[in-house]
Amino acid sequence: MTERTLRQVIPGTETSDGAGVRIKRSLGQQQNVRLDPFLMLDEFGSDQPQDYMAGFPSHPHRGFETVTYMIEGHMLHEDHLGNRGNLKNGGVQWMTAGRGIVHSEMPQQESGQMRGFQLWLNLPAAEKMKPAGYRDIQPDEIPAITFDGGVIKLVAGELTVDGQIHQGAVTGGSTRPLYADIHLEPGKETLLPIDPELEGLLYLYAGEATLISATDPQPLKRSAASILSEGDSIRVGAGKNGARVLLIAGKPIGEPVVQYGPFVMNSREEIEQTLRDYRDGRLTA
């Protein structure tokens, strides 16, 4: 196997979104800071209600998918299609904006920790105008793969662990997304194969971890998108306090990306049409 190393590190930048929710944004902090097919990666987390209670009131999207993964807390999702999902600890909302969707994401607690991630996954031109869709994935629907040294929660994609192939809660898709939450015990490590066609990153959100290679072990920075080099595997080791690391990968689309806020298309003309559609009430038609 050719073990991947770190190609680039994009630290999360403190910002706010929605109605003032505090977040750390790595991918997407600027429009040229992306990793095809991923547009944005936000980490939100606070035990101060004023940092999250205002939530994300009703807003539109077109042209991509959002993946919201709750680590702690309680969030209600609603959209114009009548979908309603109560996202709790360990749950995932996988939403396809497609042609257009209008939705809200509102905290359902008045105190305590609210923590999670939102990933924006681009769609190729041929799929940008497909009908909107929504899936509320409960924690018990997400496979938990145990191994000597920890557990992996496989949200999406296919992963081989100890020689056995596992399927995530979400499979398929033109970008073949892989989304895994790796929990490593103190001092333990894991070697995982990754299809060399996929671009990938690691995101350390708890503990300490190192991307191990034969030539140069590289510590992972907390709350940063650690972009991986080419290769067909990764080896990650935990520090004395263990580690929790997201592994996110996908097949690049290789098309132009033109973004205007919550709209992501392939050309300026398509963005202008999207704005007209939204203004005239045709975004979700």
Side-chain angles (χ1 to χ4, degrees):
M1 288 185 174
T2 304
E3 294 182 4
R4 299 190 185 210
T5 59
L6 292 187
R7 190 177 81 209
Q8 182 185 6
V9 177
I10 306 171
T13 299
E14 296 261 359
T15 185
S16 65
D17 208 341
V21 178
R22 293 179 61 182
I23 59 176
K24 292 179 182 177
R25 178 167 294 165
S26 49
L27 298 184
Q29 57 188 251
Q30 298 175 27
Q31 291 203 8
N32 61 344
V33 182
R34 302 187 179 106
L35 178 67
D36 190 7
F38 305 109
L39 302 162
M40 190 183 80
L41 178 59
D42 285 350
E43 176 184 1
F44 53 91
S46 178
D47 59 4
Q48 301 299 313
Q50 64 270 22
D51 290 341
Y52 61 74
M53 278 302 296
F56 302 88
S58 187
H59 58 282
H61 292 297
R62 173 179 278 182
F64 60 99
E65 296 182 306
T66 67
V67 183
T68 307
Y69 178 31
M70 291 297 294
I71 303 297
E72 297 179 78
H74 195 192
M75 188 95 73
L76 179 68
H77 295 249
E78 295 182 293
D79 65 37
H80 79 279
L81 298 171
N83 295 310
R84 181 183 175 94
N86 198 353
L87 200 54
K88 299 180 181 178
N89 296 12
V92 172
Q93 185 217 47
W94 198 292
M95 187 189 76
T96 300
R99 175 185 172 82
I101 200 165
V102 178
H103 77 144
S104 63
E105 303 156 292
M106 301 300 293
Q108 297 298 292
Q109 61 188 63
E110 296 180 359
S111 63
Q113 181 79 16
M114 178 75 68
R115 191 178 190 193
F117 302 91
Q118 186 168 97
L119 175 71
W120 286 17
L121 172 60
N122 199 14
L123 289 170
E127 299 176 24
K128 284 190 176 295
M129 296 296 282
K130 69 180 182 180
Y134 166 97
R135 183 176 173 190
D136 194 23
I137 305 169
Q138 300 301 326
D140 60 5
E141 296 179 71
I142 300 173
I145 307 161
T146 58
F147 61 96
D148 181 20
V151 61
I152 298 173
K153 297 181 179 181
L154 189 54
V155 175
E158 182 179 284
L159 197 61
T160 300
V161 182
D162 292 337
Q164 185 173 353
I165 299 173
H166 299 268
Q167 302 287 334
V170 175
T171 57
S174 56
T175 57
R176 297 167 49 205
L178 170 62
Y179 195 132
D181 184 7
I182 304 169
H183 296 201
L184 285 172
E185 297 171 2
K188 298 292 187 176
E189 66 178 55
T190 184
L191 172 65
L192 299 171
I194 302 176
D195 191 317
E197 289 189 347
L198 307 185
E199 289 277 13
L201 65 88
L202 295 171
Y203 192 98
L204 174 67
Y205 70 92
E208 306 89 33
T210 300
L211 182 62
I212 303 169
S213 70
T215 56
D216 184 23
Q218 298 168 294
L220 297 180
K221 183 178 177 64
R222 185 83 166 262
S223 296
S226 297
I227 309 300
L228 299 169
S229 68
E230 295 181 350
D232 59 11
S233 66
I234 58 165
R235 188 185 300 271
V236 182
K240 62 181 180 180
N241 296 315
R244 294 189 175 187
V245 183
L246 298 181
L247 166 61
I248 298 171
K251 184 179 179 180
I253 295 171
E255 296 176 350
V257 175
V258 180
Q259 180 177 353
Y260 185 85
F263 307 130
V264 182
M265 302 301 288
N266 295 99
S267 68
R268 181 176 175 179
E269 291 74 19
E270 289 173 327
I271 288 291
E272 290 172 350
Q273 182 62 57
T274 298
L275 292 171
R276 287 193 294 271
D277 289 346
Y278 183 51
R279 180 195 63 202
D280 299 339
R282 297 196 306 267
L283 182 80
T284 60

